[in-house]
Amino acid sequence: MAFDTSAKAAGVAVCSEEKLLAEFSVNTGLTHSQTMMPMAQAALDCAKLTLNDIDAFAVAAGPGSFTGLRIGIAAVKGLAQTLGKPCVPVSTLEGLAQNLQGFEATVCAVMDARCKQVYNALFTCGGTPSRLCEDRAISIEQLTQELKTVSDRILLVGDGAELCYAQMHASLPQVELAPVALRHQKASSVALCAHRLYAQGVRVEAGELIPTYLRLSQAERQLQEKNRK
């Protein structure tokens, strides 16, 4: 069972091996704490499963919204600990790249990190997504300069895609937006990534599951700046 609460939309999916059994996604303005568990129960009901049938719980562990990540991870930790099941943390950016598996392009996963920055990673996705760099926080200007060295098709995916496209397309004619149906986080993609990781032995106990923020929160940055003065 996979959860993604890293951005405005929230999603839950149940997969068996590489078969998607059920998936729910909402983007209604309700808080993730309001929508996530009802979706999880609905997904189980549709798949005719119970929580005891789940072998592992996967979650988009970051980067992303600080509050959203905490909600999803807290829920997964609670379920996994109660049931004695392992957790599989998945990079939100790798989950986004999974949306575009089979596309012959350089996939540029971008999430709006505010302050003229994005959370970013680059992948090739002709087959299973393969990383070209680690997850990072980077300025849009710096990312634009880096992508000028890429000659093939570039697909932007994630909630920062439109923002980056608006600033990049004039100087990067090879850059495109991913199809709208594939542009945002999907819990099923997190589940597929988690399936590969689980098969490779990547899993943690509930107490070891932590979010990956990549940078300090705004409040922490402001406190650091205040302490420097």
Side-chain angles (χ1 to χ4, degrees):
M1 175 173 271
F3 297 80
D4 194 323
T5 57
S6 60
K8 290 182 179 179
V12 179
V14 177
C15 288
S16 175
E17 298 299 328
E18 292 189 348
K19 180 181 179 182
L20 176 62
L21 300 178
E23 181 174 21
F24 284 83
S25 179
V26 296
N27 188 13
T28 61
L30 295 173
T31 65
H32 296 332
S33 56
Q34 290 176 288
T35 60
M36 203 172 63
M37 296 317 294
M39 284 194 296
Q41 187 59 58
L44 289 169
D45 291 344
C46 288
K48 298 182 179 179
L49 297 171
T50 70
L51 283 171
N52 287 319
D53 296 316
I54 302 299
D55 293 321
F57 293 93
V59 64
S65 158
F66 284 38
T67 301
L69 293 175
R70 285 194 290 266
I71 290 171
I73 287 175
V76 167
K77 285 168 73 82
L79 290 170
Q81 192 160 24
T82 300
L83 297 166
K85 301 293 177 71
C87 304
V88 184
V90 175
S91 159
T92 311
L93 297 168
E94 189 167 344
L96 284 166
Q98 176 65 45
N99 293 1
L100 300 180
Q101 182 173 354
F103 282 71
E104 294 292 344
T106 295
V107 172
C108 181
V110 281
M111 298 181 68
D112 188 1
R114 312 292 183 184
C115 303
K116 299 181 181 180
Q117 284 192 322
V118 288
Y119 300 123
N120 165 256
L122 303 175
F123 301 83
T124 57
C125 291
T128 299
S130 178
R131 280 186 176 274
L132 298 175
C133 68
E134 294 303 309
D135 293 356
R136 58 198 177 166
I138 187 172
S139 71
I140 297 175
E141 181 180 356
Q142 184 179 347
L143 179 59
T144 301
Q145 292 302 314
E146 183 175 324
L147 291 176
K148 287 181 178 180
T149 65
V150 178
S151 58
D152 60 346
R153 182 187 189 194
I154 300 169
L155 283 173
L156 296 170
V157 63
D159 67 11
E162 291 90 343
L163 174 66
C164 287
Y165 183 79
Q167 298 186 41
M168 290 178 175
H169 75 279
S171 59
L172 292 170
Q174 71 273 40
V175 73
E176 303 173 32
L177 288 169
V180 66
L182 303 175
R183 200 173 299 165
H184 298 287
Q185 285 83 348
K186 295 169 65 71
S188 55
S189 289
V190 174
L192 289 170
C193 290
H195 172 73
R196 290 196 297 270
L197 293 169
Y198 188 83
Q200 296 166 12
V202 178
R203 62 200 74 170
V204 298
E205 298 299 320
E208 301 173 296
L209 184 63
I210 57 173
T212 302
Y213 293 131
L214 291 187
R215 71 176 194 184
L216 299 175
S217 69
Q218 182 177 353
E220 290 171 316
R221 294 196 303 271
Q222 289 174 340
L223 180 60
Q224 279 193 352
E225 185 64 27
K226 182 179 178 181
N227 290 337
R228 290 194 192 102
K229 295 179 180 178

